[in-house]
PDB file of all heavy atoms in Angstrom:
ATOM      1  N   THR M   1       6.483  29.921  10.442  1.00 97.00           N
ATOM      2  CA  THR M   1       7.691  29.799  11.182  1.00 97.00           C
ATOM      3  C   THR M   1       7.615  28.835  12.334  1.00 97.00           C
ATOM      4  O   THR M   1       6.664  28.926  13.146  1.00 97.00           O
ATOM      5  CB  THR M   1       8.224  31.174  11.743  1.00 97.00           C
ATOM      6  OG1 THR M   1       8.331  32.193  10.665  1.00 97.00           O
ATOM      7  CG2 THR M   1       9.493  31.052  12.523  1.00 97.00           C
ATOM      8  N   LEU M   2       8.404  27.847  12.360  1.00 98.00           N
ATOM      9  CA  LEU M   2       8.371  26.857  13.467  1.00 98.00           C
ATOM     10  C   LEU M   2       9.160  27.295  14.628  1.00 98.00           C
ATOM     11  O   LEU M   2      10.248  27.785  14.517  1.00 98.00           O
ATOM     12  CB  LEU M   2       8.901  25.516  12.920  1.00 98.00           C
ATOM     13  CG  LEU M   2       8.059  24.692  11.936  1.00 98.00           C
ATOM     14  CD1 LEU M   2       8.889  23.618  11.216  1.00 98.00           C
ATOM     15  CD2 LEU M   2       6.836  24.207  12.580  1.00 98.00           C
ATOM     16  N   SER M   3       8.590  27.123  15.808  1.00 98.00           N
ATOM     17  CA  SER M   3       9.294  27.457  17.046  1.00 98.00           C
ATOM     18  C   SER M   3      10.427  26.490  17.359  1.00 98.00           C
ATOM     19  O   SER M   3      10.320  25.292  17.087  1.00 98.00           O
ATOM     20  CB  SER M   3       8.306  27.408  18.284  1.00 98.00           C
ATOM     21  OG  SER M   3       9.042  27.569  19.479  1.00 98.00           O
ATOM     22  N   THR M   4      11.604  26.994  17.767  1.00 97.00           N
ATOM     23  CA  THR M   4      12.698  26.155  18.154  1.00 97.00           C
ATOM     24  C   THR M   4      12.832  26.150  19.633  1.00 97.00           C
ATOM     25  O   THR M   4      13.822  25.630  20.229  1.00 97.00           O
ATOM     26  CB  THR M   4      14.019  26.691  17.525  1.00 97.00           C
ATOM     27  OG1 THR M   4      14.199  28.092  17.915  1.00 97.00           O
ATOM     28  CG2 THR M   4      13.909  26.624  16.059  1.00 97.00           C
ATOM     29  N   ASP M   5      11.774  26.589  20.390  1.00 98.00           N
ATOM     30  CA  ASP M   5      11.892  26.518  21.857  1.00 98.00           C
ATOM     31  C   ASP M   5      11.613  25.089  22.364  1.00 98.00           C
ATOM     32  O   ASP M   5      10.549  24.674  22.257  1.00 98.00           O
ATOM     33  CB  ASP M   5      10.768  27.466  22.360  1.00 98.00           C
ATOM     34  CG  ASP M   5      10.817  27.631  23.923  1.00 98.00           C
ATOM     35  OD1 ASP M   5      10.939  26.666  24.622  1.00 98.00           O
ATOM     36  OD2 ASP M   5      10.808  28.764  24.316  1.00 98.00           O
ATOM     37  N   GLY M   6      12.687  24.513  22.800  1.00 97.00           N
ATOM     38  CA  GLY M   6      12.591  23.082  23.142  1.00 97.00           C
ATOM     39  C   GLY M   6      11.614  22.872  24.263  1.00 97.00           C
ATOM     40  O   GLY M   6      10.902  21.860  24.325  1.00 97.00           O
ATOM     41  N   LYS M   7      11.605  23.759  25.305  1.00 98.00           N
ATOM     42  CA  LYS M   7      10.637  23.582  26.442  1.00 98.00           C
ATOM     43  C   LYS M   7       9.257  23.643  26.048  1.00 98.00           C
ATOM     44  O   LYS M   7       8.433  22.773  26.401  1.00 98.00           O
ATOM     45  CB  LYS M   7      11.031  24.586  27.557  1.00 98.00           C
ATOM     46  CG  LYS M   7      10.203  24.450  28.813  1.00 98.00           C
ATOM     47  CD  LYS M   7      10.563  25.425  29.839  1.00 98.00           C
ATOM     48  CE  LYS M   7       9.759  25.269  31.102  1.00 98.00           C
ATOM     49  NZ  LYS M   7      10.188  26.352  32.093  1.00 98.00           N
ATOM     50  N   GLN M   8       8.934  24.549  25.153  1.00 98.00           N
ATOM     51  CA  GLN M   8       7.475  24.669  24.761  1.00 98.00           C
ATOM     52  C   GLN M   8       7.131  23.577  23.851  1.00 98.00           C
ATOM     53  O   GLN M   8       5.991  23.122  23.987  1.00 98.00           O
ATOM     54  CB  GLN M   8       7.262  26.052  23.992  1.00 98.00           C
ATOM     55  CG  GLN M   8       7.373  27.207  24.949  1.00 98.00           C
ATOM     56  CD  GLN M   8       6.983  28.607  24.230  1.00 98.00           C
ATOM     57  OE1 GLN M   8       7.063  28.699  23.017  1.00 98.00           O
ATOM     58  NE2 GLN M   8       6.553  29.555  25.016  1.00 98.00           N
ATOM     59  N   ASN M   9       8.042  23.122  22.992  1.00 98.00           N
ATOM     60  CA  ASN M   9       7.709  21.951  22.079  1.00 98.00           C
ATOM     61  C   ASN M   9       7.503  20.698  22.904  1.00 98.00           C
ATOM     62  O   ASN M   9       6.555  19.979  22.625  1.00 98.00           O
ATOM     63  CB  ASN M   9       8.852  21.730  21.085  1.00 98.00           C
ATOM     64  CG  ASN M   9       8.748  22.698  19.886  1.00 98.00           C
ATOM     65  OD1 ASN M   9       8.054  22.295  18.851  1.00 98.00           O
ATOM     66  ND2 ASN M   9       9.421  23.730  19.885  1.00 98.00           N
ATOM     67  N   ALA M  10       8.299  20.446  23.939  1.00 98.00           N
ATOM     68  CA  ALA M  10       8.167  19.300  24.818  1.00 98.00           C
ATOM     69  C   ALA M  10       6.814  19.426  25.603  1.00 98.00           C
ATOM     70  O   ALA M  10       6.200  18.425  25.799  1.00 98.00           O
ATOM     71  CB  ALA M  10       9.369  19.224  25.763  1.00 98.00           C
ATOM     72  N   TYR M  11       6.436  20.599  25.976  1.00 98.00           N
ATOM     73  CA  TYR M  11       5.215  20.763  26.716  1.00 98.00           C
ATOM     74  C   TYR M  11       4.015  20.438  25.820  1.00 98.00           C
ATOM     75  O   TYR M  11       3.188  19.618  26.276  1.00 98.00           O
ATOM     76  CB  TYR M  11       5.200  22.229  27.055  1.00 98.00           C
ATOM     77  CG  TYR M  11       3.920  22.736  27.794  1.00 98.00           C
ATOM     78  CD1 TYR M  11       3.187  21.906  28.672  1.00 98.00           C
ATOM     79  CD2 TYR M  11       3.478  24.020  27.628  1.00 98.00           C
ATOM     80  CE1 TYR M  11       1.992  22.430  29.285  1.00 98.00           C
ATOM     81  CE2 TYR M  11       2.350  24.533  28.127  1.00 98.00           C
ATOM     82  CZ  TYR M  11       1.590  23.800  29.071  1.00 98.00           C
ATOM     83  OH  TYR M  11       0.522  24.201  29.699  1.00 98.00           O
ATOM     84  N   VAL M  12       4.013  20.889  24.655  1.00 98.00           N
ATOM     85  CA  VAL M  12       2.866  20.532  23.687  1.00 98.00           C
ATOM     86  C   VAL M  12       2.868  19.096  23.482  1.00 98.00           C
ATOM     87  O   VAL M  12       1.797  18.357  23.505  1.00 98.00           O
ATOM     88  CB  VAL M  12       3.017  21.395  22.421  1.00 98.00           C
ATOM     89  CG1 VAL M  12       1.938  20.880  21.463  1.00 98.00           C
ATOM     90  CG2 VAL M  12       2.815  22.959  22.706  1.00 98.00           C
ATOM     91  N   GLN M  13       4.052  18.564  23.169  1.00 97.00           N
ATOM     92  CA  GLN M  13       4.100  17.080  22.852  1.00 97.00           C
ATOM     93  C   GLN M  13       3.640  16.247  24.056  1.00 97.00           C
ATOM     94  O   GLN M  13       2.955  15.230  23.809  1.00 97.00           O
ATOM     95  CB  GLN M  13       5.501  16.719  22.471  1.00 97.00           C
ATOM     96  CG  GLN M  13       5.677  15.297  21.952  1.00 97.00           C
ATOM     97  CD  GLN M  13       4.961  15.048  20.673  1.00 97.00           C
ATOM     98  OE1 GLN M  13       5.274  15.720  19.657  1.00 97.00           O
ATOM     99  NE2 GLN M  13       3.943  14.092  20.639  1.00 97.00           N
ATOM    100  N   CYS M  14       3.946  16.691  25.225  1.00 98.00           N
ATOM    101  CA  CYS M  14       3.529  15.914  26.457  1.00 98.00           C
ATOM    102  C   CYS M  14       1.999  15.843  26.540  1.00 98.00           C
ATOM    103  O   CYS M  14       1.403  14.830  26.782  1.00 98.00           O
ATOM    104  CB  CYS M  14       4.095  16.551  27.680  1.00 98.00           C
ATOM    105  SG  CYS M  14       3.654  15.843  29.187  1.00 98.00           S
ATOM    106  N   VAL M  15       1.364  16.960  26.321  1.00 98.00           N
ATOM    107  CA  VAL M  15      -0.131  17.029  26.316  1.00 98.00           C
ATOM    108  C   VAL M  15      -0.716  16.160  25.286  1.00 98.00           C
ATOM    109  O   VAL M  15      -1.617  15.412  25.531  1.00 98.00           O
ATOM    110  CB  VAL M  15      -0.563  18.530  26.288  1.00 98.00           C
ATOM    111  CG1 VAL M  15      -2.162  18.578  26.131  1.00 98.00           C
ATOM    112  CG2 VAL M  15      -0.159  19.331  27.518  1.00 98.00           C
ATOM    113  N   VAL M  16      -0.130  16.257  24.049  1.00 98.00           N
ATOM    114  CA  VAL M  16      -0.647  15.415  22.950  1.00 98.00           C
ATOM    115  C   VAL M  16      -0.524  14.035  23.322  1.00 98.00           C
ATOM    116  O   VAL M  16      -1.455  13.202  23.112  1.00 98.00           O
ATOM    117  CB  VAL M  16       0.133  15.841  21.712  1.00 98.00           C
ATOM    118  CG1 VAL M  16      -0.275  14.808  20.556  1.00 98.00           C
ATOM    119  CG2 VAL M  16      -0.274  17.214  21.178  1.00 98.00           C
ATOM    120  N   ASN M  17       0.568  13.560  23.843  1.00 97.00           N
ATOM    121  CA  ASN M  17       0.826  12.176  24.103  1.00 97.00           C
ATOM    122  C   ASN M  17      -0.144  11.662  25.145  1.00 97.00           C
ATOM    123  O   ASN M  17      -0.676  10.558  25.024  1.00 97.00           O
ATOM    124  CB  ASN M  17       2.214  11.986  24.651  1.00 97.00           C
ATOM    125  CG  ASN M  17       3.340  12.169  23.553  1.00 97.00           C
ATOM    126  OD1 ASN M  17       3.042  12.162  22.381  1.00 97.00           O
ATOM    127  ND2 ASN M  17       4.573  12.314  24.032  1.00 97.00           N
ATOM    128  N   ALA M  18      -0.417  12.503  26.178  1.00 98.00           N
ATOM    129  CA  ALA M  18      -1.462  12.007  27.225  1.00 98.00           C
ATOM    130  C   ALA M  18      -2.771  11.893  26.648  1.00 98.00           C
ATOM    131  O   ALA M  18      -3.496  10.948  26.997  1.00 98.00           O
ATOM    132  CB  ALA M  18      -1.430  13.039  28.370  1.00 98.00           C
ATOM    133  N   LEU M  19      -3.141  12.790  25.779  1.00 98.00           N
ATOM    134  CA  LEU M  19      -4.558  12.606  25.158  1.00 98.00           C
ATOM    135  C   LEU M  19      -4.609  11.503  24.220  1.00 98.00           C
ATOM    136  O   LEU M  19      -5.615  10.761  24.254  1.00 98.00           O
ATOM    137  CB  LEU M  19      -4.886  13.947  24.472  1.00 98.00           C
ATOM    138  CG  LEU M  19      -5.017  15.203  25.284  1.00 98.00           C
ATOM    139  CD1 LEU M  19      -5.108  16.486  24.384  1.00 98.00           C
ATOM    140  CD2 LEU M  19      -6.264  15.081  26.124  1.00 98.00           C
ATOM    141  N   VAL M  20      -3.607  11.329  23.404  1.00 97.00           N
ATOM    142  CA  VAL M  20      -3.562  10.273  22.343  1.00 97.00           C
ATOM    143  C   VAL M  20      -3.670   8.898  23.076  1.00 97.00           C
ATOM    144  O   VAL M  20      -4.264   8.038  22.453  1.00 97.00           O
ATOM    145  CB  VAL M  20      -2.331  10.329  21.450  1.00 97.00           C
ATOM    146  CG1 VAL M  20      -2.154   9.141  20.659  1.00 97.00           C
ATOM    147  CG2 VAL M  20      -2.382  11.600  20.506  1.00 97.00           C
ATOM    148  N   ALA M  21      -2.963   8.745  24.174  1.00 97.00           N
ATOM    149  CA  ALA M  21      -3.047   7.491  24.925  1.00 97.00           C
ATOM    150  C   ALA M  21      -4.475   6.965  25.263  1.00 97.00           C
ATOM    151  O   ALA M  21      -4.630   5.799  25.532  1.00 97.00           O
ATOM    152  CB  ALA M  21      -2.235   7.552  26.206  1.00 97.00           C
ATOM    153  N   GLU M  22      -5.457   7.905  25.262  1.00 97.00           N
ATOM    154  CA  GLU M  22      -6.806   7.523  25.634  1.00 97.00           C
ATOM    155  C   GLU M  22      -7.668   7.476  24.404  1.00 97.00           C
ATOM    156  O   GLU M  22      -8.895   7.215  24.528  1.00 97.00           O
ATOM    157  CB  GLU M  22      -7.352   8.592  26.554  1.00 97.00           C
ATOM    158  CG  GLU M  22      -6.574   8.786  27.886  1.00 97.00           C
ATOM    159  CD  GLU M  22      -6.386   7.417  28.520  1.00 97.00           C
ATOM    160  OE1 GLU M  22      -7.353   6.680  28.800  1.00 97.00           O
ATOM    161  OE2 GLU M  22      -5.159   7.185  28.941  1.00 97.00           O
ATOM    162  N   LEU M  23      -7.074   7.567  23.167  1.00 96.00           N
ATOM    163  CA  LEU M  23      -7.947   7.441  22.011  1.00 96.00           C
ATOM    164  C   LEU M  23      -8.264   6.007  21.596  1.00 96.00           C
ATOM    165  O   LEU M  23      -7.542   5.090  22.123  1.00 96.00           O
ATOM    166  CB  LEU M  23      -7.177   8.026  20.874  1.00 96.00           C
ATOM    167  CG  LEU M  23      -6.960   9.579  20.887  1.00 96.00           C
ATOM    168  CD1 LEU M  23      -6.205  10.031  19.693  1.00 96.00           C
ATOM    169  CD2 LEU M  23      -8.239  10.308  20.997  1.00 96.00           C
ATOM    170  N   PRO M  24      -9.273   5.730  20.812  1.00 92.00           N
ATOM    171  CA  PRO M  24      -9.498   4.380  20.294  1.00 92.00           C
ATOM    172  C   PRO M  24      -8.230   3.837  19.610  1.00 92.00           C
ATOM    173  O   PRO M  24      -7.393   4.627  19.104  1.00 92.00           O
ATOM    174  CB  PRO M  24     -10.621   4.504  19.300  1.00 92.00           C
ATOM    175  CG  PRO M  24     -11.353   5.758  19.846  1.00 92.00           C
ATOM    176  CD  PRO M  24     -10.249   6.697  20.348  1.00 92.00           C
ATOM    177  N   GLN M  25      -8.093   2.536  19.518  1.00 91.00           N
ATOM    178  CA  GLN M  25      -6.811   1.903  19.077  1.00 91.00           C
ATOM    179  C   GLN M  25      -6.526   2.388  17.598  1.00 91.00           C
ATOM    180  O   GLN M  25      -5.329   2.578  17.332  1.00 91.00           O
ATOM    181  CB  GLN M  25      -7.071   0.319  19.019  1.00 91.00           C
ATOM    182  CG  GLN M  25      -5.843  -0.410  18.476  1.00 91.00           C
ATOM    183  CD  GLN M  25      -4.562  -0.056  19.208  1.00 91.00           C
ATOM    184  OE1 GLN M  25      -4.540   0.019  20.393  1.00 91.00           O
ATOM    185  NE2 GLN M  25      -3.494   0.206  18.448  1.00 91.00           N
ATOM    186  N   GLN M  26      -7.497   2.549  16.790  1.00 89.00           N
ATOM    187  CA  GLN M  26      -7.201   3.007  15.426  1.00 89.00           C
ATOM    188  C   GLN M  26      -6.444   4.385  15.365  1.00 89.00           C
ATOM    189  O   GLN M  26      -5.695   4.609  14.425  1.00 89.00           O
ATOM    190  CB  GLN M  26      -8.509   3.165  14.591  1.00 89.00           C
ATOM    191  CG  GLN M  26      -9.330   4.239  15.019  1.00 89.00           C
ATOM    192  CD  GLN M  26     -10.669   4.120  14.312  1.00 89.00           C
ATOM    193  OE1 GLN M  26     -11.678   3.577  14.800  1.00 89.00           O
ATOM    194  NE2 GLN M  26     -10.736   4.765  13.073  1.00 89.00           N
ATOM    195  N   TYR M  27      -6.570   5.173  16.395  1.00 92.00           N
ATOM    196  CA  TYR M  27      -5.884   6.427  16.513  1.00 92.00           C
ATOM    197  C   TYR M  27      -4.626   6.322  17.297  1.00 92.00           C
ATOM    198  O   TYR M  27      -3.705   7.097  17.101  1.00 92.00           O
ATOM    199  CB  TYR M  27      -6.784   7.510  17.027  1.00 92.00           C
ATOM    200  CG  TYR M  27      -8.044   7.772  16.127  1.00 92.00           C
ATOM    201  CD1 TYR M  27      -9.268   7.263  16.515  1.00 92.00           C
ATOM    202  CD2 TYR M  27      -7.980   8.422  14.865  1.00 92.00           C
ATOM    203  CE1 TYR M  27     -10.447   7.415  15.739  1.00 92.00           C
ATOM    204  CE2 TYR M  27      -9.054   8.548  14.118  1.00 92.00           C
ATOM    205  CZ  TYR M  27     -10.238   8.082  14.587  1.00 92.00           C
ATOM    206  OH  TYR M  27     -11.476   8.294  13.764  1.00 92.00           O
ATOM    207  N   ARG M  28      -4.626   5.402  18.249  1.00 90.00           N
ATOM    208  CA  ARG M  28      -3.403   5.244  19.057  1.00 90.00           C
ATOM    209  C   ARG M  28      -2.238   4.674  18.270  1.00 90.00           C
ATOM    210  O   ARG M  28      -1.126   5.005  18.614  1.00 90.00           O
ATOM    211  CB  ARG M  28      -3.695   4.402  20.347  1.00 90.00           C
ATOM    212  CG  ARG M  28      -4.590   4.995  21.375  1.00 90.00           C
ATOM    213  CD  ARG M  28      -4.343   4.309  22.696  1.00 90.00           C
ATOM    214  NE  ARG M  28      -4.512   2.795  22.607  1.00 90.00           N
ATOM    215  CZ  ARG M  28      -5.576   2.160  22.792  1.00 90.00           C
ATOM    216  NH1 ARG M  28      -6.740   2.794  22.911  1.00 90.00           N
ATOM    217  NH2 ARG M  28      -5.585   0.846  22.692  1.00 90.00           N
ATOM    218  N   GLY M  29      -2.621   3.910  17.282  1.00 85.00           N
ATOM    219  CA  GLY M  29      -1.589   3.240  16.545  1.00 85.00           C
ATOM    220  C   GLY M  29      -0.895   4.159  15.454  1.00 85.00           C
ATOM    221  O   GLY M  29       0.093   3.708  14.843  1.00 85.00           O
ATOM    222  N   VAL M  30      -1.352   5.439  15.448  1.00 89.00           N
ATOM    223  CA  VAL M  30      -0.753   6.425  14.492  1.00 89.00           C
ATOM    224  C   VAL M  30       0.360   7.117  15.179  1.00 89.00           C
ATOM    225  O   VAL M  30       0.318   7.410  16.395  1.00 89.00           O
ATOM    226  CB  VAL M  30      -1.810   7.437  14.017  1.00 89.00           C
ATOM    227  CG1 VAL M  30      -1.209   8.542  13.236  1.00 89.00           C
ATOM    228  CG2 VAL M  30      -2.933   6.677  13.342  1.00 89.00           C
ATOM    229  N   ARG M  31       1.421   7.359  14.428  1.00 90.00           N
ATOM    230  CA  ARG M  31       2.613   8.170  14.983  1.00 90.00           C
ATOM    231  C   ARG M  31       2.159   9.664  14.883  1.00 90.00           C
ATOM    232  O   ARG M  31       2.221  10.279  13.879  1.00 90.00           O
ATOM    233  CB  ARG M  31       3.851   7.868  14.104  1.00 90.00           C
ATOM    234  CG  ARG M  31       5.066   8.671  14.708  1.00 90.00           C
ATOM    235  CD  ARG M  31       6.279   8.447  13.903  1.00 90.00           C
ATOM    236  NE  ARG M  31       7.410   9.216  14.269  1.00 90.00           N
ATOM    237  CZ  ARG M  31       7.572  10.487  13.894  1.00 90.00           C
ATOM    238  NH1 ARG M  31       6.761  11.154  13.054  1.00 90.00           N
ATOM    239  NH2 ARG M  31       8.599  11.215  14.312  1.00 90.00           N
ATOM    240  N   TRP M  32       1.809  10.188  16.014  1.00 94.00           N
ATOM    241  CA  TRP M  32       1.291  11.559  16.084  1.00 94.00           C
ATOM    242  C   TRP M  32       2.507  12.551  16.027  1.00 94.00           C
ATOM    243  O   TRP M  32       3.575  12.312  16.629  1.00 94.00           O
ATOM    244  CB  TRP M  32       0.571  11.879  17.232  1.00 94.00           C
ATOM    245  CG  TRP M  32      -0.773  11.185  17.227  1.00 94.00           C
ATOM    246  CD1 TRP M  32      -1.130   9.887  17.339  1.00 94.00           C
ATOM    247  CD2 TRP M  32      -2.045  11.938  16.941  1.00 94.00           C
ATOM    248  NE1 TRP M  32      -2.461   9.701  17.098  1.00 94.00           N
ATOM    249  CE2 TRP M  32      -3.128  10.917  16.847  1.00 94.00           C
ATOM    250  CE3 TRP M  32      -2.439  13.235  16.775  1.00 94.00           C
ATOM    251  CZ2 TRP M  32      -4.390  11.222  16.679  1.00 94.00           C
ATOM    252  CZ3 TRP M  32      -3.707  13.507  16.508  1.00 94.00           C
ATOM    253  CH2 TRP M  32      -4.725  12.653  16.492  1.00 94.00           C
ATOM    254  N   GLU M  33       2.433  13.586  15.184  1.00 96.00           N
ATOM    255  CA  GLU M  33       3.458  14.613  14.986  1.00 96.00           C
ATOM    256  C   GLU M  33       2.888  15.976  15.395  1.00 96.00           C
ATOM    257  O   GLU M  33       1.814  16.205  14.980  1.00 96.00           O
ATOM    258  CB  GLU M  33       3.859  14.562  13.584  1.00 96.00           C
ATOM    259  CG  GLU M  33       4.871  15.606  13.247  1.00 96.00           C
ATOM    260  CD  GLU M  33       5.231  15.810  11.733  1.00 96.00           C
ATOM    261  OE1 GLU M  33       4.581  15.033  10.941  1.00 96.00           O
ATOM    262  OE2 GLU M  33       6.044  16.659  11.333  1.00 96.00           O
ATOM    263  N   THR M  34       3.677  16.681  16.081  1.00 97.00           N
ATOM    264  CA  THR M  34       3.170  18.014  16.511  1.00 97.00           C
ATOM    265  C   THR M  34       4.150  19.154  15.871  1.00 97.00           C
ATOM    266  O   THR M  34       5.258  18.889  15.579  1.00 97.00           O
ATOM    267  CB  THR M  34       3.241  18.305  18.011  1.00 97.00           C
ATOM    268  OG1 THR M  34       4.514  18.113  18.506  1.00 97.00           O
ATOM    269  CG2 THR M  34       2.409  17.179  18.683  1.00 97.00           C
ATOM    270  N   ALA M  35       3.526  20.240  15.741  1.00 97.00           N
ATOM    271  CA  ALA M  35       4.464  21.501  15.295  1.00 97.00           C
ATOM    272  C   ALA M  35       3.929  22.682  16.090  1.00 97.00           C
ATOM    273  O   ALA M  35       2.692  22.875  16.272  1.00 97.00           O
ATOM    274  CB  ALA M  35       4.240  21.621  13.769  1.00 97.00           C
ATOM    275  N   LEU M  36       4.914  23.453  16.507  1.00 98.00           N
ATOM    276  CA  LEU M  36       4.580  24.679  17.265  1.00 98.00           C
ATOM    277  C   LEU M  36       4.956  25.839  16.350  1.00 98.00           C
ATOM    278  O   LEU M  36       6.186  26.067  16.027  1.00 98.00           O
ATOM    279  CB  LEU M  36       5.387  24.705  18.604  1.00 98.00           C
ATOM    280  CG  LEU M  36       5.160  25.896  19.450  1.00 98.00           C
ATOM    281  CD1 LEU M  36       3.668  25.949  19.963  1.00 98.00           C
ATOM    282  CD2 LEU M  36       6.045  25.819  20.761  1.00 98.00           C
ATOM    283  N   PHE M  37       4.035  26.704  16.023  1.00 97.00           N
ATOM    284  CA  PHE M  37       4.221  27.779  15.088  1.00 97.00           C
ATOM    285  C   PHE M  37       4.378  29.080  15.925  1.00 97.00           C
ATOM    286  O   PHE M  37       3.599  29.345  16.898  1.00 97.00           O
ATOM    287  CB  PHE M  37       3.048  27.927  14.152  1.00 97.00           C
ATOM    288  CG  PHE M  37       2.877  26.674  13.310  1.00 97.00           C
ATOM    289  CD1 PHE M  37       1.843  25.768  13.577  1.00 97.00           C
ATOM    290  CD2 PHE M  37       3.698  26.385  12.229  1.00 97.00           C
ATOM    291  CE1 PHE M  37       1.665  24.621  12.795  1.00 97.00           C
ATOM    292  CE2 PHE M  37       3.560  25.210  11.456  1.00 97.00           C
ATOM    293  CZ  PHE M  37       2.496  24.381  11.792  1.00 97.00           C
ATOM    294  N   VAL M  38       5.359  29.925  15.422  1.00 98.00           N
ATOM    295  CA  VAL M  38       5.523  31.233  16.004  1.00 98.00           C
ATOM    296  C   VAL M  38       4.430  32.122  15.449  1.00 98.00           C
ATOM    297  O   VAL M  38       4.512  32.714  14.383  1.00 98.00           O
ATOM    298  CB  VAL M  38       6.958  31.782  15.825  1.00 98.00           C
ATOM    299  CG1 VAL M  38       7.135  33.165  16.453  1.00 98.00           C
ATOM    300  CG2 VAL M  38       7.984  30.881  16.324  1.00 98.00           C
ATOM    301  N   GLU M  39       3.352  32.348  16.120  1.00 95.00           N
ATOM    302  CA  GLU M  39       2.210  32.991  15.675  1.00 95.00           C
ATOM    303  C   GLU M  39       1.400  33.574  16.829  1.00 95.00           C
ATOM    304  O   GLU M  39       1.047  32.756  17.766  1.00 95.00           O
ATOM    305  CB  GLU M  39       1.305  32.180  14.840  1.00 95.00           C
ATOM    306  CG  GLU M  39      -0.036  32.733  14.353  1.00 95.00           C
ATOM    307  CD  GLU M  39       0.148  34.076  13.525  1.00 95.00           C
ATOM    308  OE1 GLU M  39       0.911  33.969  12.523  1.00 95.00           O
ATOM    309  OE2 GLU M  39      -0.438  35.030  13.952  1.00 95.00           O
ATOM    310  N   LYS M  40       1.149  34.860  16.831  1.00 94.00           N
ATOM    311  CA  LYS M  40       0.462  35.527  17.978  1.00 94.00           C
ATOM    312  C   LYS M  40      -0.954  35.042  18.177  1.00 94.00           C
ATOM    313  O   LYS M  40      -1.558  35.035  19.272  1.00 94.00           O
ATOM    314  CB  LYS M  40       0.512  37.023  17.899  1.00 94.00           C
ATOM    315  CG  LYS M  40       1.913  37.648  18.110  1.00 94.00           C
ATOM    316  CD  LYS M  40       1.856  39.101  17.890  1.00 94.00           C
ATOM    317  CE  LYS M  40       3.290  39.723  18.268  1.00 94.00           C
ATOM    318  NZ  LYS M  40       3.206  41.233  18.171  1.00 94.00           N
ATOM    319  N   GLU M  41      -1.607  34.766  17.123  1.00 91.00           N
ATOM    320  CA  GLU M  41      -3.090  34.442  17.194  1.00 91.00           C
ATOM    321  C   GLU M  41      -3.224  33.135  17.992  1.00 91.00           C
ATOM    322  O   GLU M  41      -2.687  32.008  17.630  1.00 91.00           O
ATOM    323  CB  GLU M  41      -3.728  34.259  15.866  1.00 91.00           C
ATOM    324  CG  GLU M  41      -5.229  34.002  15.934  1.00 91.00           C
ATOM    325  CD  GLU M  41      -5.977  34.147  14.561  1.00 91.00           C
ATOM    326  OE1 GLU M  41      -5.308  34.693  13.627  1.00 91.00           O
ATOM    327  OE2 GLU M  41      -7.128  33.758  14.497  1.00 91.00           O
ATOM    328  N   PRO M  42      -4.023  33.080  19.032  1.00 93.00           N
ATOM    329  CA  PRO M  42      -4.224  31.810  19.877  1.00 93.00           C
ATOM    330  C   PRO M  42      -5.069  30.878  19.112  1.00 93.00           C
ATOM    331  O   PRO M  42      -6.321  30.907  19.092  1.00 93.00           O
ATOM    332  CB  PRO M  42      -4.869  32.313  21.078  1.00 93.00           C
ATOM    333  CG  PRO M  42      -5.663  33.602  20.724  1.00 93.00           C
ATOM    334  CD  PRO M  42      -4.811  34.204  19.558  1.00 93.00           C
TER     335      PRO M  42
END
């Protein structure tokens, strides 16, 4: 089940974007996609 919580999705995407910006070029050039799953296990 995918989460529809806009705030949490934006939070995760923001962290991903900040990390990806520091990757080598071959990985920065990829369009990164995130998914937030409704699942209790961390």
